[in-house]
Amino acid sequence: MAVQKRVLSIFLIQLVLLAVSGLNRVDGAGLRTGYYDESCPDAETRALKTIRKAISKDVTVAAALLRLHFHDCFVRGCEASVLLNATKEGGAEKDGFLNLSLRGFDVIDDVKSAIEKSCPGVVSCADILALAARDAVQLTGGLFWKVETGRRDGRISLSKEIDANLPFSNFNITQLKQNFASKGLTKKDLKRSFFILSLLGAHTIGSASCLTINTRLYNFTGRSDTDPALDPTFASELKKKCKPGGILPVFELDQGSSTISDAHFYKAVRQNRGLLISDAALLDDHATRAYVKRQSTSAAGATFGRDFGKSMEKMGRIGVLTGSEGEIRQRCALVN
């Protein structure tokens, strides 16, 4: 499990410039809520039941499922390519270094099996990923949002596309905005910044390893220094457990609230106790800093739950396959 968590932090800084043609399409044409109301009316109920069972056994599965959906959408769009196994042509996305810590594949397979018993060949693995992310947040205390469905599954998954497409945890606010814009977000989205801020709020659940924060603690500018944006007391606490060059242990992304989907993350950021460099970057821009302040001064996070749901819905439209595109896989790890 420690290895699986090693690069968990990488998943949350969204949407880098991708080389895949058409991937910045975010219109979600062909998606709608209630897509399976007639063809598979109990699909969402079966998914929720299966995910609830998994999280009751291991609450950290929630963050894993949320991360799977993010990583899927970053490469080739939200079409379940992250679930595919390698072929003789080469490694799949899950084999890329930045994806080696992904987990939750077994839960997705269980959901797929449960749904297939009711309506075989109807519900895509891409939609299951989107539903699983929503249910994971809801089951850990977050707000419910309606998930648009109607995605179809892709047939290509290449590990060589990972490094160019998945971001790192040391992006500054300018890089974040550029990367979000590369996904087809409007100027209004970027001006409001709620899309960036609320998705980064997914740091409210999950963890990151000593390896991920080592440079920030011990060699921030290449001069054996600590990031000055990190609260000194917090830095000292981290150094007691995370030694130079260390890989373990793992730390909560949201100290004291890492298994609950809430707005506590923003309070930590405002106090300069965000674990990642990208967390601290949220204070370097007027709009994002104002958002952090607004969420951190409200008991319920002001508009966080609503914003997060809207942001997840918009992210779930990236590069989708619909209509006659792609396929509905019989097994999520294999093309038909």
Side-chain angles (χ1 to χ4, degrees):
M1 181 176 294
V3 174
Q4 292 172 325
K5 292 179 179 178
R6 192 166 297 170
V7 290
L8 177 61
S9 60
I10 296 172
F11 89 102
L12 291 158
I13 306 111
Q14 317 308 331
L15 313 179
V16 295
L17 179 60
L18 303 181
V20 181
S21 176
L23 193 55
N24 63 345
R25 185 182 73 192
V26 293
D27 55 17
L31 300 183
R32 68 175 188 271
T33 57
Y35 183 87
Y36 298 112
D37 283 354
E38 295 184 4
S39 59
C40 191
D42 64 346
E44 295 195 25
T45 300
R46 285 175 175 264
L48 177 60
K49 181 179 179 180
T50 305
I51 293 165
R52 179 183 285 114
K53 181 178 179 180
I55 291 178
S56 69
K57 295 179 179 178
D58 178 7
V59 70
T60 67
V61 167
L65 295 175
L66 185 57
R67 187 181 179 216
L68 269 179
H69 184 41
F70 286 146
H71 276 234
D72 180 46
C73 293
F74 296 168
V75 184
R76 293 185 170 269
C78 307
E79 37 75 83
S81 55
V82 73
L83 302 177
L84 287 172
N85 289 338
T87 65
K88 60 182 180 181
E89 282 75 27
E93 290 175 26
K94 64 172 65 172
D95 302 312
F97 177 75
L98 297 181
N99 275 347
L100 291 179
S101 59
L102 290 177
R103 60 193 183 100
F105 297 102
D106 56 333
V107 179
I108 298 300
D109 288 340
D110 288 344
V111 174
K112 178 66 170 176
S113 296
I115 293 176
E116 287 289 301
K117 293 177 181 178
S118 177
C119 34
V122 174
V123 179
S124 69
C125 299
D127 278 342
I128 289 174
L129 281 171
L131 292 170
R134 187 270 310 279
D135 292 344
V137 171
Q138 181 190 12
L139 291 169
T140 51
L143 294 182
F144 174 89
W145 69 88
K146 292 184 177 180
V147 174
E148 295 177 325
T149 45
R151 299 169 187 79
R152 289 172 65 85
D153 300 322
R155 299 187 176 96
I156 299 173
S157 182
L158 302 172
S159 61
K160 64 182 181 182
E161 295 180 345
I162 295 299
D163 288 348
N165 296 332
L166 288 181
F168 294 86
S169 60
N170 60 351
F171 277 16
N172 60 40
I173 195 63
T174 299
Q175 291 170 312
L176 285 173
K177 287 189 172 184
Q178 290 173 342
N179 293 338
F180 275 66
S182 75
K183 282 296 187 178
L185 297 175
T186 65
K187 291 182 179 180
K188 182 178 180 181
D189 290 326
L190 296 175
K191 183 177 181 180
R192 292 177 65 191
S193 296
F194 84 81
F195 186 86
I196 299 174
L197 270 294
S198 57
L199 281 186
L200 283 174
H203 277 180
T204 186
I205 55 176
S207 57
S209 70
C210 171
L211 175 65
T212 304
I213 63 173
N214 216 273
T215 297
R216 191 179 189 201
L217 292 178
Y218 296 108
N219 199 28
F220 183 63
T221 64
R223 300 178 180 178
S224 301
D225 55 342
T226 302
D227 182 0
L230 188 62
D231 175 74
T233 301
F234 185 44
S236 296
E237 293 172 358
L238 294 173
K239 287 180 177 180
K240 290 178 181 178
K241 298 179 180 180
C242 179
K243 302 304 180 182
I247 295 175
L248 299 175
V250 295
F251 298 91
E252 296 177 336
L253 286 171
D254 184 6
Q255 301 288 309
S257 184
S258 66
T259 60
I260 303 173
S261 295
D262 58 17
H264 184 269
F265 161 75
Y266 296 107
K267 295 181 181 180
V269 170
R270 194 179 181 196
Q271 296 169 353
N272 296 313
R273 295 175 70 90
L275 196 63
L276 308 178
I277 294 173
S278 57
D279 297 339
L282 301 181
L283 299 178
D284 295 335
D285 174 85
H286 173 73
T288 55
R289 184 169 59 251
Y291 188 96
V292 169
K293 181 179 179 180
R294 184 163 69 253
Q295 304 305 332
S296 66
T297 54
S298 170
T303 61
F304 170 64
R306 182 190 67 193
D307 291 348
F308 188 78
K310 288 183 178 179
S311 300
M312 290 294 290
E313 181 178 338
K314 195 172 186 78
M315 189 192 75
R317 297 170 182 166
I318 296 171
V320 296
L321 303 177
T322 58
S324 61
E325 300 173 308
E327 64 183 16
I328 303 296
R329 289 184 213 143
Q330 296 174 6
R331 296 175 59 188
C332 289
L334 305 170
V335 296
N336 292 342

